[in-house]
Amino acid sequence: MKVLNFGSLNIDFVYGVTHFVRGGETISSRNMEIFPGGKGLNQSIALAKSGVETWHAGAVGEDGEILLETMKEAGVHAELVSRLPGRTGHAIIQRDPSGQNCILLFGGTNQRNTKMRVDEVLEHFSEGDFLVLQNEINEIGYIMEKAHEKGMTIVLNPSPMDEKIETYPLDYVDYFLLNEVEAEELCGKRETDEELLQAVADRFPESRIVLTLGEKGSVYKDENEMIEQPIFRVPVVDTTAAGDTFTGFFIGGIMQGETPKEAMAHAAKASSIAVSRPGAAPSIPFRREL
Ligand code: RIB
């Protein structure tokens, strides 16, 4: 069994700031660093480092070679990534002194996948293989349709949330990994986290759901059980890719036969290590570090 992550690849430009810049304001940054990133790339690296055979598909431009190298070093198969003329996707990230961030995306080659390319990529996968998706590339609905026809297990992290999500065949999703804001966008606001989780479960009764709640940890729910997983408290350096690390280690754990409880605990540990280090992809630990 292997996993295909059809997802974004970004170059992250990370600016240290005293506060996030406001409308009409100009501020100077304290420093600037460049990291490999993109929710897709980060999740592929987390999947591979968790110990599963991971294939990444997507597209980079002329400036994207470094991203392919980064994935290969982490053990991700990058042969299915297209190389296109033009610019690779990038992210402008402001990081404040508490390690929180805000992110502006430029799609670049992440938005230039074609149906023909999707068909070519999916030829390499079959029933029982996992497909992991986020929402930073185009043609997601088509990828889901084709993967469903093949009997692949579909994982969706609907991030960043936008109006396109509702156009995808969401009933095909086997695992949702989403945060409170994304859950509210899908199911409407609720008074409590429990009600919100139940609302997602009611809307997608066939799916297994992981709701991440920031400082409050995360909750897993399927038709048989509910598992609450607190965070592991660490000094926070940079929260970028914490969610991606969680997703990669949770799904990687499930693929390797862990129970949802074990996979949740490992995912929480891995993401606590990631927030204690700077950058997106470089902050993701190997399984042995857990
Ligand atoms: O989840 C973090 C990622 O979001 C960053 O690496 C950035 O590229 C954006 O895609």
Side-chain angles (χ1 to χ4, degrees), residues 158-203:
S159 180
M161 177 58 77
D162 66 17
E163 65 293 340
K164 283 187 294 171
I165 293 280
E166 290 291 352
T167 69
Y168 305 153
L170 297 178
D171 289 339
Y172 295 166
V173 175
D174 297 286
Y175 290 87
F176 277 100
L177 288 102
L178 71 183
N179 64 25
E180 281 163 295
V181 176
E182 291 151 2
E184 285 177 0
E185 290 275 335
L186 282 175
C187 300
K189 231 176 161 26
R190 294 293 191 281
E191 288 288 308
T192 65
D193 297 335
E194 291 73 29
E195 286 171 11
L196 187 58
L197 181 64
Q198 191 56 51
V200 183
D202 289 343
R203 180 166 174 195

Side-chain angles (χ1 to χ4, degrees), residues 115-282:
K115 291 188 171 60
M116 192 199 288
R117 184 63 190 144
V118 171
D119 292 343
E120 285 166 6
V121 166
L122 287 179
E123 270 173 26
H124 299 265
F125 300 88
S126 50
E127 186 171 358
D129 287 336
F130 275 59
L131 169 72
V132 174
L133 296 165
Q134 314 78 32
N135 193 29
E136 287 187 340
I137 63 167
N138 65 325
E139 294 297 1
I140 289 177
Y142 184 74
I143 299 169
M144 288 172 71
E145 294 282 358
K146 292 290 156 180
H148 180 72
E149 278 171 22
K150 279 184 168 272
M152 294 177 75
T153 299
I154 300 178
V155 178
L156 179 65
N157 168 219
S159 180
M161 177 58 77
D162 66 17
E163 65 293 340
K164 283 187 294 171
I165 293 280
E166 290 291 352
T167 69
Y168 305 153
L170 297 178
D171 289 339
Y172 295 166
V173 175
D174 297 286
Y175 290 87
F176 277 100
L177 288 102
L178 71 183
N179 64 25
E180 281 163 295
V181 176
E182 291 151 2
E184 285 177 0
E185 290 275 335
L186 282 175
C187 300
K189 231 176 161 26
R190 294 293 191 281
E191 288 288 308
T192 65
D193 297 335
E194 291 73 29
E195 286 171 11
L196 187 58
L197 181 64
Q198 191 56 51
V200 183
D202 289 343
R203 180 166 174 195
F204 304 107
E206 307 291 317
S207 311
R208 288 143 214 189
I209 296 148
V210 177
L211 180 64
T212 56
L213 300 164
E215 288 276 299
K216 291 180 279 176
S218 48
V219 200
Y220 168 89
K221 181 167 170 51
D222 63 23
E223 56 185 358
N224 301 316
E225 60 181 334
M226 194 173 114
I227 299 157
E228 291 182 39
Q229 175 62 54
I231 61 164
F232 293 88
R233 292 211 173 270
V234 291
V236 176
V237 172
D238 185 348
T239 57
T240 315
D244 300 331
T245 304
F246 191 101
T247 297
F249 271 80
F250 176 77
I251 295 300
I254 294 290
M255 287 180 69
Q256 291 170 89
E258 290 179 0
T259 62
K261 190 173 169 53
E262 290 165 339
M264 289 285 282
H266 288 149
K269 264 190 200 171
S271 82
S272 73
I273 295 174
V275 302
S276 70
R277 299 171 174 171

